[in-house]
Amino acid sequence: MHLLWHSLHRKLRYSSKPRWRMSPTSAPWMKCGNCGEVSEKWQYIRLMDSVALKGGRGSASMVQKCKLCARENSIEILSSTIRSYNAEDNEKFKTIVEFECRGLEPVDFQPQAGFAAEGVESGTVFSDINLQEKDWTDYDEKAQESVGIYEVTHQFVKC
């Protein structure tokens, strides 16, 4: 499953940091692939987390037992698939991360903190950008102009 990202921005390139994370208000709603039950709240899923699967079958970024059917499901963030969203991607959907879904599928996503941006012309780095409101603005001193990320949208696409 791919997370596609779309945004309008002005003279910035931005990306998720290697420590890309989601928090309770920025994580996806998850759905059980077995029975279709959707979680009642936002879920944590972070690249740095590794949870062992039952029976020594490896690990995943998140392991969760379905409250309805009791099946153990998991999802893994594929770190090698994390991509930057750059100025040339403006107003286009682009895959920024892929997941290996083993019975657990994201159905909604709300970004929050942990994003970074760089001024295209000035090289000014803006770190720990919070996109919870789907918009972010700042002022680039070197370029002497306002910069921002606006109207962030997303979609999940099955591979």
Side-chain angles (χ1 to χ4, degrees):
M1 178 165 289
H2 299 264
L3 171 61
L4 296 174
W5 189 268
H6 176 269
S7 178
L8 302 172
H9 57 285
R10 183 173 176 202
K11 297 188 178 182
L12 286 176
R13 19 178 204 268
Y14 68 97
S15 64
S16 53
K17 296 179 181 178
R19 62 181 184 89
W20 186 74
R21 65 188 169 111
M22 296 184 209
S23 66
T25 58
S26 66
W29 287 88
M30 296 288 186
K31 178 178 83 170
C32 175
N34 186 51
C35 69
E37 176 74 4
V38 176
S39 59
E40 299 172 359
K41 58 183 178 178
W42 293 109
Q43 305 291 309
Y44 287 94
I45 180 172
R46 302 182 314 163
L47 180 61
M48 65 191 84
D49 291 343
S50 181
V51 181
L53 297 170
K54 280 185 181 177
R57 299 177 293 141
S59 64
S61 301
M62 177 186 202
V63 178
Q64 186 175 41
K65 187 174 181 177
C66 179
K67 291 181 181 180
L68 186 63
C69 72
R71 180 177 171 177
E72 182 180 89
N73 299 308
S74 64
I75 186 169
E76 176 75 14
I77 298 170
L78 302 175
S79 61
S80 64
T81 68
I82 295 174
R83 304 282 183 261
S84 295
Y85 189 94
N86 301 309
E88 54 272 4
D89 302 317
N90 191 25
E91 298 190 49
K92 300 177 197 168
F93 278 104
K94 178 182 179 179
T95 300
I96 62 166
V97 67
E98 293 179 24
F99 305 93
E100 182 178 336
C101 302
R102 294 176 232 141
L104 197 58
E105 296 179 19
V107 293
D108 197 7
F109 170 76
Q110 181 180 355
Q112 191 175 3
F115 291 88
E118 180 181 322
V120 172
E121 295 162 0
S122 69
T124 301
V125 175
F126 301 90
S127 59
D128 203 27
I129 294 172
N130 186 330
L131 292 173
Q132 184 176 1
E133 301 297 323
K134 310 274 196 240
D135 291 325
W136 166 84
T137 59
D138 206 330
Y139 188 77
D140 187 333
E141 296 287 340
K142 289 181 187 174
Q144 296 184 340
E145 65 182 353
S146 294
V147 294
I149 300 169
Y150 309 97
E151 301 174 26
V152 175
T153 57
H154 71 278
Q155 64 185 29
F156 291 102
V157 176
K158 291 186 179 185
C159 302

